[in-house]
Amino acid sequence: MKIQVGVFFGGRSVEHEVSIISAMQVCAALDREKYTPVPVYITKQGLFYTGPSYGDIAAYRDIPALLAAGSGVTLTPDGAGRAVLSRWPARRLGGNEIAVLDAALPVVHGTNAEDGTLQGYLEMLGLPYAGPDVLSSAVCMDKAVSKSLLATAGIPVLPGCTWTDTAWGARPDALMDELALRFGFPVVVKPVNLGSSVGVTRAADRAALRAAADLAFQFAPKVLIEPAVVRLREINCAVLGDAGAARASACEEPLGAGGILSYGDKYLSGGEADKGMGGAARRVPADLAPALRDHIQALGVHTFQTLGCQGVARVDFLLDCDKNQVYVNEINTIPGSLAFYLWEPVGLSFGALLDEMLSLAFKRHRQRAALSFTYESNILAGAGLGAKGGAKR
Ligand SMILES: Nc1ncnc2c1ncn2[C@@H]1O[C@H](COP(=O)(O)OP(=O)(O)O)[C@@H](O)[C@H]1O
Ligand SMILES: [Mg+2]
């Protein structure tokens, strides 16, 4: 019997469409000798669907038709590490069970999914899943929280300043005065928890900073501001493994039109949207002196393990060419296309990458199952509801 893998994608995120492309690539690459992919599409409203055509990218050109041809689904734990995928709303007549999942492969990007929410749901189901756990997902999704953890671990990051929407609403001028004193201009303003450059702007003066902050607050209640790197090169490298062992992929250099790489640069400049991240303009391997490449790869592994990542993540770096300094910019715990194109140059096929991610998922599940989550006590034997001061002390 092949291993039934629920491939989860879509979701309430600005990166919904990119996630569909990544997931279709995953469904195509999974080794059919060993695995059967079961696509589970999460709509922009957060509903779960599946159907016979859900593994075909062409079907997503007409979402209403796709939903009409498929069925709503729900998941139920079986108590033994699997989850039953059933039709929902249930049919009165006929069976409702669609598949019994042995594992989940989250291929979601961005908010309400990659940030630990889907992982929490899978934990509740007791289903093994690939990629980082709840805490690591949540930490990596927040650029301010991950920055402070990396700084504490001695990993080079740019200084940053965090504003809340409440403070911005109450005293914007005081915040901007303080920031101008600390960093000067130009700065880069970003929502703390988005991706794909949505809401990210470079501001060269106070008026631009005000507009940039107003824009960023449309996407998140917390905004991060950093000094802008002026002579910038961007280098990314993926890391695969877990706390025990992790290794780095080839490095890539995304090639933008200069300035902030936009959503369009990242996904559309290759002209073939259906290639997803694989279609964007980039140089692989990046043109780097061997010592600098080794340094970046080592920092990538250190970052991955410091933030408790698992499976495959992509660590993005900013190179300040004036100061000759490398900074970790951000960690994508479920990178576009799962960064398969960075592993192929080092001899790991997409299918083998997915196989390794799923092996890690089963390993973590076994390790967690070996922990004790029960504590024998007879607390209920004499319990009533009248205890003074509540039940918990
Ligand atoms: N401090 C910075 N200095 C200069 N450019 C930056 C800086 N931070 C981000 N950028 C530019 O903005 C882009 C998006 O920022 P990033 O932090 O990667 O957010 P996202 O999660 O949206 O990808 C980067 O790819 C880079 O081009
Ligand atoms: Mg980025």
Side-chain angles (χ1 to χ4, degrees), residues 164-206:
T164 61
D165 55 356
T166 326
W168 179 245
R171 45 189 178 88
D173 288 302
L175 292 181
M176 288 192 288
D177 289 345
E178 201 183 300
L179 186 88
L181 266 181
R182 221 179 127 195
F183 297 153
F185 288 99
V187 290
V188 170
V189 182
K190 29 182 127 167
V192 283
N193 61 359
L194 253 67
S196 298
S197 301
V198 174
V200 180
T201 325
R202 202 178 115 112
D205 56 34
R206 199 176 169 101

Side-chain angles (χ1 to χ4, degrees), residues 39 49-55 69-71:
Y49 274 80
T50 196
S53 58
Y54 279 57
S71 43

Side-chain angles (χ1 to χ4, degrees), residues 143 158 190 194-195 197 226-227 229 234 261 266 329-330:
K143 293 181 205 286
L158 281 167
K190 29 182 127 167
L194 253 67
S197 301
E226 298 171 348
V229 175
E234 294 188 59
L261 285 180
K266 285 180 179 173
N329 180 37
E330 62 162 343

